[in-house]
């Protein structure tokens, strides 16, 4: 008789895990009703912008990430674009990004007429490889966008040192890293600027939304202007200083984001405590392993929890087959992203839209960019679990571990 659910056996997990996402309650309901009745549905209706819900969110979230300034925007993609414009990106500049990320890290670069240079990741931690960054630097390189992939901080010491040596900017794509810390400092405060997403799956959400962070007043003022049709704070409303779009967050989002920011410390702490327990359990099961925590990673506010599947210890079972068996047991494990970003048709077919690069400057042939570590991690090794599972309790962790153990013990059924 089959033991594994994929072969008709009983399921290991028969109840929902974690807590439903997103979380909300009376504070969010009250805040939304307050916005409604105030008739102030955008922050401009407030005499002092910092009194608005958006303003309060900016201050609270920036503080939580150890940043002096926060500029709330429409989404994470435009947060990256806004940061790039604020830092003075020029047409044809090269910006180095990792292969393992959501495509917006790199498309935001193209949208400001610069050129993403895509490099491989580190095999141990799945973050942008500083050696690959260094090897990709050319006279046209203007900056680096390390992504804290899954929320695990990239090696910011080495990235910042490389940037300093070569005179480059660093914009952290912190869209997965709400609550994450490197050596006790919040992600988004470690480079020149940071960009967060508040899209619904993220660990801080307003349905959609984003926020640009920085500790530099001048950059904060530029970001403010670029998110506000080129206005400057303190200047007349119809005076515009740069060509810029409207990236403003609504008060509805501001109200939700502010209330959600208050939930973030408890959620981050709970996820991390559960993850540490889960990690200890993973170490006991042959064929799976946690991503080890570097001592510099003082808090991992993960968007997805990453662990490693080791096919050779699963009698050569493929990652896809493992995930299929786990899904049948009641645990959805994703691969994170489908493939390294440069394998997307937009890169392989060079569908860049109306880019404006200086004469003689062109993007690389992305079909020739090889990122063997990212290829292997995404196809053969990386297992991602949704962050909301880790809002549950130890029994949720035990159920997941039991299910993995069950598949390992009965792997013969899958071969
Ligand atoms: C790493 C990364 N960067 C940027 C973005 C873009 O954020 P948004 O969807 O809010 O535009 C995302 C969104 O998933 C992301 O995962």
């Amino acid at each position: 008789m089959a033991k594994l659910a994929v072969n008709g056996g009983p399921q290991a997990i028969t109840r929902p895990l974690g807590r439903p996402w997103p979380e909300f309650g009376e504070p969010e309901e009250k805040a939304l009703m307050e916005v409604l009745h105030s008739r102030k549905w955008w922050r401009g209706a407030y005499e002092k912008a910092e009194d608005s819900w958006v303003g309060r969110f900016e201050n609270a979230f920036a503080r939580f990430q150890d940043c002096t300034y926060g500029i709330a925007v429409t989404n994470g993609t435009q947060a990256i674009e806004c940061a790039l414009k604020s830092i003075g990106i020029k047409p044809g500049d090269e910006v180095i990004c990792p292969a393992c990320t959501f495509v917006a890290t790199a498309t935001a670069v193209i949208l400001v007429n610069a050129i993403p240079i895509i490099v491989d990741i580190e095999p141990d931690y799945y973050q942008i490889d500083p050696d690959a960054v260094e090897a990709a630097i050319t006279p046209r390189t203007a900056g680096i966008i390390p992504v804290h992939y899954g929320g695990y901080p990239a090696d910011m010491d080495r990235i910042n040192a490389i940037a300093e040596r070569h005179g480059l900017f660093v914009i952290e794509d912190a869209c997965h890293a709400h609550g994450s810390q490197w050596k006790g400092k919040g992600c988004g405060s470690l480079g020149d600027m940071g960009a967060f997403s508040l899209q619904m799956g993220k660990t801080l959400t307003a349905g959609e939304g984003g926020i640009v962070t920085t500790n530099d007043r001048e950059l904060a003022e530029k970001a403010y202007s670029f998110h506000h049709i080129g206005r400057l704070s303190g200047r007349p409303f119809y005076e515009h200083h740069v060509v810029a779009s409207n990236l403003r967050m609504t008060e509805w989002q501001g109200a939700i984001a502010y209330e959600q920011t208050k939930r973030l410390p408890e959620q981050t702490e709970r996820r991390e405590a559960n993850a540490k327990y889960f990690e200890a359990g993973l170490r006991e099961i042959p064929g799976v392993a946690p991503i080890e925590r570097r001592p510099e990673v003082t808090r991992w506010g993960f968007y997805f929890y990453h662990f490693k599947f080791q096919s050779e210890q699963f009698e050569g079972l493929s990652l896809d087959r493992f995930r299929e068996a786990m899904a049948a047991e009641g645990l959805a494990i994703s691969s994170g992203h489908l493939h390294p970003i440069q394998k997307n048709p937009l890169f392989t077919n060079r569908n860049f839209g109306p880019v404006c690069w200086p004469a003689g400057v062109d993007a690389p042939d992305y079909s020739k960019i090889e990122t063997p570590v990212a290829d292997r991690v995404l196809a053969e090794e990386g297992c991602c679990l949704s962050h909301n599972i880790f809002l549950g309790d130890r029994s949720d962790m035990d159920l997941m571990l039991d299910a993995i153990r069950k598949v390992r013990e009965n792997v013969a059924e899958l071969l």
Side-chain angles (χ1 to χ4, degrees):
M1 266 237 311
K3 292 230 172 73
L4 294 182
V6 75
N7 292 334
Q11 261 200 323
I13 303 172
T14 53
R15 64 166 174 83
L17 298 176
R19 305 197 308 225
W21 190 257
E23 303 197 293
F24 67 93
E26 228 175 84
E28 282 81 1
E29 286 181 22
K30 193 162 160 276
L32 284 175
M33 290 310 280
E34 264 184 47
V35 174
L36 185 71
H37 289 283
S38 71
R39 297 184 194 273
K40 294 178 177 177
W41 295 355
W42 81 303
R43 72 183 306 176
Y46 283 82
E47 208 167 302
K48 284 207 232 132
E50 62 268 30
D51 292 340
S52 64
W53 287 97
V54 173
R56 282 189 278 161
F57 158 62
E58 288 174 336
N59 289 333
F61 184 72
R63 209 175 315 120
F64 185 64
Q65 296 295 142
D66 301 307
C67 300
T68 317
Y69 306 98
I71 299 94
V73 294
T74 36
N75 56 57
T77 309
Q78 288 177 317
I80 302 170
E81 279 180 63
C82 182
L84 284 162
K85 287 181 184 166
S86 307
I87 218 145
I89 194 84
K90 293 190 299 305
D93 280 351
E94 291 179 355
V95 180
I96 301 172
C97 319
C100 256
T101 180
F102 180 59
V103 75
T105 310
T107 50
V109 173
I110 299 176
L111 285 164
V112 297
N113 288 309
I115 298 173
I117 301 297
I118 295 162
V119 301
D120 212 344
I121 56 165
E122 304 165 297
D124 291 345
Y125 309 111
Y126 297 174
Q127 304 305 321
I128 192 168
D129 180 347
D131 291 332
V133 169
E134 192 123 39
I137 292 172
T138 73
R140 292 220 314 272
T141 308
I144 310 166
I145 306 188
V147 177
H148 305 301
Y149 191 52
Y152 192 103
D155 185 343
M156 290 306 293
D157 287 2
R158 286 199 62 201
I159 300 289
N160 281 338
I162 293 168
E164 202 172 318
R165 230 176 10 258
H166 295 271
L168 311 177
F169 67 72
V170 175
I171 295 175
E172 299 168 67
D173 180 336
C175 287
H176 297 174
H178 315 74
S180 295
Q181 288 181 348
W182 176 262
K183 289 161 94 174
K185 285 266 172 233
C187 287
S189 77
L190 306 162
D192 296 296
M193 303 187 87
F196 291 82
S197 166
L198 272 66
Q199 174 270 335
M200 204 184 96
K202 302 297 183 310
T203 51
L204 177 76
T205 182
E208 294 279 7
I211 181 164
V212 179
T213 54
T214 182
N215 289 318
D216 181 312
R217 191 161 73 88
E218 212 175 299
L219 289 176
E221 280 170 5
K222 286 194 174 142
Y224 175 85
S225 191
F226 277 114
H227 105 296
H228 198 19
I229 323 194
R231 294 188 174 97
L232 295 182
S233 60
R235 296 298 307 165
F237 189 71
Y238 285 118
E239 186 180 287
H240 303 266
H241 293 255
V242 286
V243 176
S245 196
N246 170 3
L247 309 183
R248 293 184 305 259
M249 179 182 271
T250 68
E251 281 290 274
W252 310 105
Q253 291 163 294
I256 293 286
Y258 178 65
E259 292 301 338
Q260 293 279 305
T261 302
K262 290 190 201 159
R263 296 180 186 274
L264 199 48
E266 183 271 334
Q267 291 168 336
T268 308
E269 208 175 295
R270 194 173 177 89
R271 282 190 194 98
E272 239 206 335
N274 275 325
K276 283 185 177 159
Y277 177 81
F278 183 66
E279 266 159 38
L282 281 181
R283 283 197 191 92
E284 303 297 312
I285 307 174
V288 285
I291 293 186
E292 294 302 337
R293 282 170 200 249
R294 314 176 53 144
E296 297 93 334
V297 177
T298 42
R299 199 163 67 196
W300 182 10
F302 53 88
Y303 165 50
F304 45 76
Y305 179 83
H306 237 147
F307 68 93
K308 297 177 181 178
F309 169 75
Q310 297 156 327
S311 167
E312 67 287 358
Q313 291 189 49
F314 259 85
E315 321 280 344
L317 189 75
S318 73
L319 175 60
D320 282 349
R321 188 79 173 120
F322 172 67
R323 286 173 42 213
E324 191 191 344
M326 290 304 303
E329 297 298 338
L331 183 64
I333 296 178
S334 89
S335 64
H337 293 89
L338 186 61
H339 43 219
I341 52 171
Q342 76 275 13
K343 300 217 164 143
N344 277 289
L346 94 86
F347 284 110
T348 49
N349 300 334
R350 298 175 65 88
N351 283 337
F352 300 144
V355 283
C356 137
W357 294 327
V361 169
D362 199 0
D365 178 350
Y366 289 101
S367 67
K368 297 217 164 74
I369 298 210
E370 289 183 7
T371 52
V373 181
D375 287 2
R376 187 181 54 75
V377 164
L378 292 173
E380 297 168 25
E381 186 179 273
C383 292
C384 301
L385 293 169
S386 176
H387 66 81
N388 70 304
I389 297 176
F390 293 83
L391 292 174
D393 56 31
R394 292 219 165 154
S395 70
D396 294 301
M397 305 301 110
D398 287 333
L399 273 178
M400 290 198 289
L401 292 166
D402 288 347
I404 297 172
R405 205 175 293 111
K406 178 182 168 195
V407 170
R408 176 65 189 80
E409 281 168 5
N410 296 287
V411 67
E413 276 191 32
L414 299 169
L415 298 171

